[in-house]
Structures are given as C-alpha cells and as structure tokens.
Amino acid sequence: MAELASVDWSRAQFALTAIYHFLFVPLTLGLSFIIAIMESIYVKTGNQQWRDITKFWLKLFGINFAIGVATGIIMEFEFGTNWANYSWFVGDIFGAPLAIEGLLAFFLESTFFAIMFFGWDKVSKKFHLISTWLVAIGSNLSAMWILIANGWMQYPIGMQFNPDTARMEMQNFFEVALSPVGMIKFLHTVTSGYTISALFVIGISAWFMLKGRHLVMAKKSIIVAASFGLVTSVFLLFSGDESAYQATRTQPMKLAAMEGLYKGDTRQGLIAMGILDPSKKPGDEKDPFLVDIEVPYMLSLLGKRDINGFVAGIDDLLYGNEKYGIESVASKMQKGKLAIQALADYKAAKTAKDTAAMANAKQILDQNMKFLGYGYLDKPEDAVPPVATTFYSFHVMVALGSYFIALFFVLTYLCMANNIENFKKLLWLCVFSIPLGYIAAEAGWIVAEVGRQPWVIQDLMTVGVGATNLADTNVKISFTLFALLFTALLIAEVKIMLKQIKIGFEQNA
C-alpha cells in the first residue's frame, strides 16, 4: 500500500476536525430552540416545572456549546495552515461569509449567552426569554454563513478571476449569499441538527421514565421534543429532496455516485437499497449492483422534476454523451490545460509589457476558465468520486431519516394519548436512537464532501492544488495531536453530561 502524501494527510486532518466538530454543532443548533420553546411555555404559564425543565436542558446545552466552539476555531485556522493555496485563491469570496459569521452571528450568540445562563432572577422573565431566543437565532445564523461559504465551494458563482493577482474576486455578494445550493445546504444541515436534538431530549427523557424518575418533567420534555422533531424531520425530507435536485443540476457526478448510476437514462429509477459490485469500473459492461431494489421513474422525477427527464450516469459524464450535450472529462481537461497555459502566457506577456499578447492570452483564459481545475487532473477517471463511500453513506442517511419520521410520529401520538409510559420497549428504543441521529448527520456530510471529490472548489480547483505544500511529518504530528485532543474533549463532554444527567432535574430550581 502506497504511503499517504501530504495532501492526503491534510485532507484526513480536516475531515477529522469536521467530523468531531459536527458531533457538537447539531445539538447546539436544535437544543437552543427546544430550550427557547420550553422557556416560552414557562413564561406563558408561570408553571415552575417548566422553569426546572428549561434549566436542566440549558446546562447540557452549555456543556456542548463550549466544546463545539473549541473545535470550530481550530477548523477555521486549518484553512490557513493546511489549505493556504485555496485560501489565497478564494479568500476574497470565502472570507466574507466567515467574517460576517464572526462579527454578526457569533457576536449576537455570545452576547446573550451570558444572560441566558446567569441572568435567572437578575433580569425580567421576558428579557431572559428574549435572550434565549436570540442565542438560538444567533447559533443558527452562525451556521448559515458557514454553510453559505461551503455552498459556494460546491457551486461557485458571483465571482470573476483576476489574472493579475491569480485570485477569484467577488462580483456579486448577493449572488453568493443567496445561492440556491448554499441556502438549501443551510436548511438541510440545520434541520438535521434539530432532529439530532429532538432525539437527544427524547432519549434522555425516556431513560428517566424507565428509571421511574422525574416522570412528569420527562414526559413534558418528550412532548416538546417529539412534536418539534416531527415537524423538523418532515421538513428535512423535503429539504433533502431539494438538495438532490440541486446536486443533479450543479454536481451531476455526485448525484450519479449517490445512486451508483453508471449509464444514464430517461425515466430513471431510484435505488431504494442495494449492494454494489466492488469490481465495477467506469466504462465496463458489468452491472453496478449485486442486489438492488429500484423504484421505477423516481430518480427522473426527483432529479429533473420530469418523469421523462434524462439523468446522467458516471459513464455519460466521464466519456461524454452527444445526444444530451454532455461534454467528456477528456475534453474538459484539454480546455483546462489551455486555461493554465493562457494564465502563464498572460504573466509572461505582462512581464514583457506586451499588451497585445496579454489581451490574446486573457481571451483564451476567459473562454476556458470554467474548466481550469480539469487541467490539473492526471486522467479522466480522477473526476469520479469514491462511489461506494458516497452511495452507502447516502442510503444510510435516507434510511435513518425515514425511521426518525416514523419514531417522532408514534411518540407524538402516544404523548397526545397520554399513554407513552406503558411502552417500555419503545422507551428503550428512544434511548438507543440517540447515536443514530449523529450517524445520519455524519453520513450526510460524507455524501456532501466525499461526493464532490476531487474538487475543493467544484471544477476550478482540485484538493491537490488547494493544499499547502507541507512536510508529511508536520501534518502527521498535527493529525495525531488533534485526534488525541478531540477524543479527549469528546470523552470529557460525555462524562460531564452523564454526571449532570444522573443528577437529574432536582438541582435546577
């Protein structure tokens, strides 16, 4: 087995940071709103039990929030340390949403965080409630700007390349900020956090009920979380559908990998579940699946909003399909190399002060700029992401998402019937469902990030070009240190949370 290169270690380190960071972030996003709803009920009814319930979940929120901030800061620093070429190339665009996130959203969140935590009995009920809602809104606004930045990497728009600086420069801020890919990525990602938070509250409350402790407060917590989870998980289904539609439009190779689709067709079916043939290669005549269950016509309907729509497969995108106007990767590679050479010619002409040659080179560059990244591929097959990883991650996410909707529906119904305590097996299922929300969310991120390989910016920059040229040893050391640090933080969080959960509601008055 070949030794991993520096870029692979940088990718592994960023993936490690992102995976750990996203263990903490989703709970912050959803639990903040659940707490705000609980406190709203307290302010409306004046019932002391709702205050105690709110304060209990608030403590767990605070533990998670603190550790999530630590991993998030490290992730942003990695753009400068491990991905300096990327940061230079798109810093004018990518940096703007992150700056707004820090100056506006995080400031709003952190300002009212102290009031939410320490302002009980020091400020009025209504002002404290407003502070709680502002923390929830600030947390989600923070996620929005970060996901807009990520969405731009998946679908780069609103910019223009400057050959004098060799950088992308923002031309239209609103086009970047309101990108359909960025917006749906935000909605789908935060809603997955809401689902995780609902499962978290339900699972812990179910544990209290199984132990015969805090029955009334646990049941009230389940009522809020189950109804919140039902609404948000149904929305998650629709936002997931829109995400797949946007992927079909802007990242067709990712969509093909998600479905294990090699040969595109009209009236294309959707793979409900299947086992891929590991020996399948692009361009061969093997069936992609050893076993599969397909829903007829569904992929064309979902991906093209037309049952007769043509959905491209990996082979179509890789080798081209003249009938449907799909250009081959080999052709794009030639145009990408023209763009790279034109940029070099432009710089040489500028040094020689040859304005005619500069204008000619810039014209060639502008004509081929959208294929720039393809010029750095070694062979066409490099444009195909890891199909098995993308396919299985996608189907795990979808299967778990369907399960969550069913679980929330049953729990909401039983809560309304005031009969949930009689279903012990269901309560145990709720306890063991807590980690499933995290698995689904991490699977979703794997689809989003692994599915767009080899690109760090879709079609414009490969991960190999975007990475900083660091010595392997340096990245290996930092990877190991971060792995140890993040694992220690996770263990610490779990231990502190378990200790607080065992204490229960009684010390929150």
Side-chain angles (χ1 to χ4, degrees):
M1 182 175 173
E3 187 176 352
L4 291 177
S6 173
V7 62
D8 296 314
W9 279 105
S10 291
R11 290 173 64 192
Q13 180 173 305
F14 195 84
L16 174 80
T17 309
I19 286 171
Y20 270 97
H21 182 57
F22 210 67
L23 288 175
F24 306 117
V25 170
L27 189 58
T28 297
L29 298 176
L31 193 53
S32 59
F33 274 121
I34 292 176
I35 289 169
I37 292 169
M38 291 174 170
E39 187 174 351
S40 297
I41 297 173
Y42 160 62
V43 173
K44 180 70 175 178
T45 64
N47 187 327
Q48 185 68 26
Q49 278 191 335
W50 282 108
R51 173 183 165 121
D52 296 343
I53 291 170
T54 302
K55 293 185 74 174
F56 171 76
W57 296 112
L58 184 58
K59 285 188 177 181
L60 300 184
F61 169 82
I63 296 165
N64 184 80
F65 179 88
I67 299 180
V69 169
T71 54
I73 291 173
I74 291 173
M75 182 182 294
E76 292 199 15
F77 275 117
E78 286 183 12
F79 284 115
T81 56
N82 294 66
W83 303 96
N85 295 334
Y86 163 81
S87 298
W88 166 261
F89 186 61
V90 298
D92 182 60
I93 305 163
F94 190 77
L98 296 184
I100 295 172
E101 183 267 335
L103 294 173
L104 177 62
F106 188 73
F107 177 78
L108 174 67
E109 182 182 11
S110 57
T111 298
F112 289 96
F113 184 85
I115 299 173
M116 183 177 73
F117 251 85
F118 306 110
W120 294 97
D121 302 322
K122 295 181 176 63
V123 296
S124 68
K125 286 182 180 180
K126 289 185 178 180
F127 186 73
H128 190 278
L129 177 61
I130 290 170
S131 300
T132 303
W133 277 105
L134 287 175
V135 169
I137 293 169
S139 299
N140 284 263
L141 284 177
S142 181
M144 184 186 76
W145 290 109
I146 292 169
L147 291 166
I148 284 173
N150 182 272
W152 183 87
M153 296 165 68
Q154 313 265 350
Y155 179 49
I157 55 174
M159 79 294 180
Q160 184 174 342
F161 182 70
N162 185 341
D164 294 311
T165 60
R167 298 183 72 200
M168 285 291 182
E169 296 178 352
M170 186 181 295
Q171 295 294 303
N172 190 326
F173 172 78
F174 292 103
E175 194 173 356
V176 174
L178 300 177
S179 162
V181 173
M183 285 291 98
I184 199 61
K185 177 170 283 293
F186 162 66
L187 293 172
H188 191 60
T189 302
V190 297
T191 311
S192 72
Y194 301 161
T195 302
I196 287 173
S197 303
L199 291 168
F200 179 81
V201 173
I202 289 168
I204 294 172
S205 301
W207 180 81
F208 280 124
M209 295 188 71
L210 288 165
K211 295 297 181 181
R213 298 176 57 195
H214 315 298
L215 294 179
V216 175
M217 287 189 280
K219 188 182 295 185
K220 287 182 175 181
S221 296
I222 290 178
I223 291 171
V224 172
S227 54
F228 180 78
L230 179 60
V231 172
T232 56
S233 62
V234 170
F235 182 81
L236 185 65
L237 176 68
F238 288 104
S239 63
D241 167 66
E242 181 64 19
S243 294
Y245 170 70
Q246 291 296 337
T248 308
R249 190 174 67 88
T250 62
Q251 296 176 299
M253 187 68 81
K254 177 192 285 187
L255 189 281
M258 286 161 57
E259 281 296 310
L261 178 64
Y262 281 82
K263 294 187 182 299
D265 203 352
T266 57
R267 298 190 174 188
Q268 183 64 55
L270 179 76
I271 301 298
M273 61 178 64
I275 300 175
L276 293 168
D277 182 349
S279 66
K280 170 68 178 174
K281 302 294 181 184
D284 66 25
E285 295 302 318
K286 290 183 178 179
D287 192 312
F289 294 94
L290 300 175
V291 179
D292 68 283
I293 298 175
E294 182 178 302
V295 182
Y297 313 135
M298 204 62 183
L299 187 57
S300 287
L301 181 61
L302 296 178
K304 293 292 187 176
R305 301 294 192 252
D306 179 3
I307 197 170
N308 295 310
F310 175 80
V311 180
I314 291 171
D315 290 348
D316 302 293
L317 297 164
L318 191 56
Y319 304 116
N321 187 318
E322 290 186 11
K323 181 179 179 181
Y324 292 98
I326 300 174
E327 188 173 2
S328 70
V329 171
S331 174
K332 293 178 180 179
M333 288 173 65
Q334 291 177 351
K335 293 180 179 179
K337 292 183 188 302
L338 284 176
I340 294 170
Q341 185 59 50
L343 179 58
D345 292 343
Y346 179 88
K347 291 181 178 179
K350 183 179 180 181
T351 301
K353 299 182 179 180
D354 186 342
T355 55
M358 285 175 63
N360 182 61
K362 189 174 186 306
Q363 183 181 16
I364 297 173
L365 178 62
D366 291 342
Q367 290 172 349
N368 298 282
M369 185 62 205
K370 66 179 181 179
F371 303 108
L372 177 69
Y374 287 92
Y376 293 98
L377 298 179
D378 293 326
K379 56 185 184 297
E381 288 74 17
D382 290 343
V384 181
V387 176
T389 303
T390 308
F391 174 84
Y392 289 121
S393 297
F394 174 70
H395 284 79
V396 165
M397 176 187 66
V398 172
L400 287 174
S402 302
Y403 161 71
F404 298 149
I405 293 175
L407 179 64
F408 292 140
F409 178 81
V410 171
L411 289 170
T412 302
Y413 173 79
L414 292 176
C415 286
M416 292 175 65
N418 198 28
N419 198 28
I420 191 171
E421 63 271 14
N422 296 322
F423 293 84
K424 303 296 184 184
K425 291 183 179 179
L426 179 62
L427 292 174
W428 278 116
L429 183 63
C430 293
V431 175
F432 291 112
S433 292
I434 294 175
L436 297 182
Y438 289 97
I439 292 172
E442 296 290 2
W445 270 112
I446 290 172
V447 172
E449 302 307 309
V450 174
R452 69 181 168 108
Q453 295 303 309
W455 308 111
V456 64
I457 308 170
Q458 185 70 36
D459 297 340
L460 294 178
M461 177 177 276
T462 62
V463 291
V465 174
T468 309
N469 187 21
L470 297 171
D472 292 1
T473 304
N474 293 338
V475 188
K476 290 176 184 177
I477 292 172
S478 60
F479 174 88
T480 304
L481 291 174
F482 283 150
L484 293 173
L485 173 63
F486 296 150
T487 303
L489 287 173
L490 180 61
I491 293 171
E493 178 185 33
V494 172
K495 288 183 68 174
I496 295 169
M497 278 197 171
L498 288 176
K499 181 179 179 181
Q500 184 59 43
I501 291 167
K502 288 177 181 178
I503 293 173
F505 290 89
E506 57 259 14
Q507 293 192 17
N508 293 288

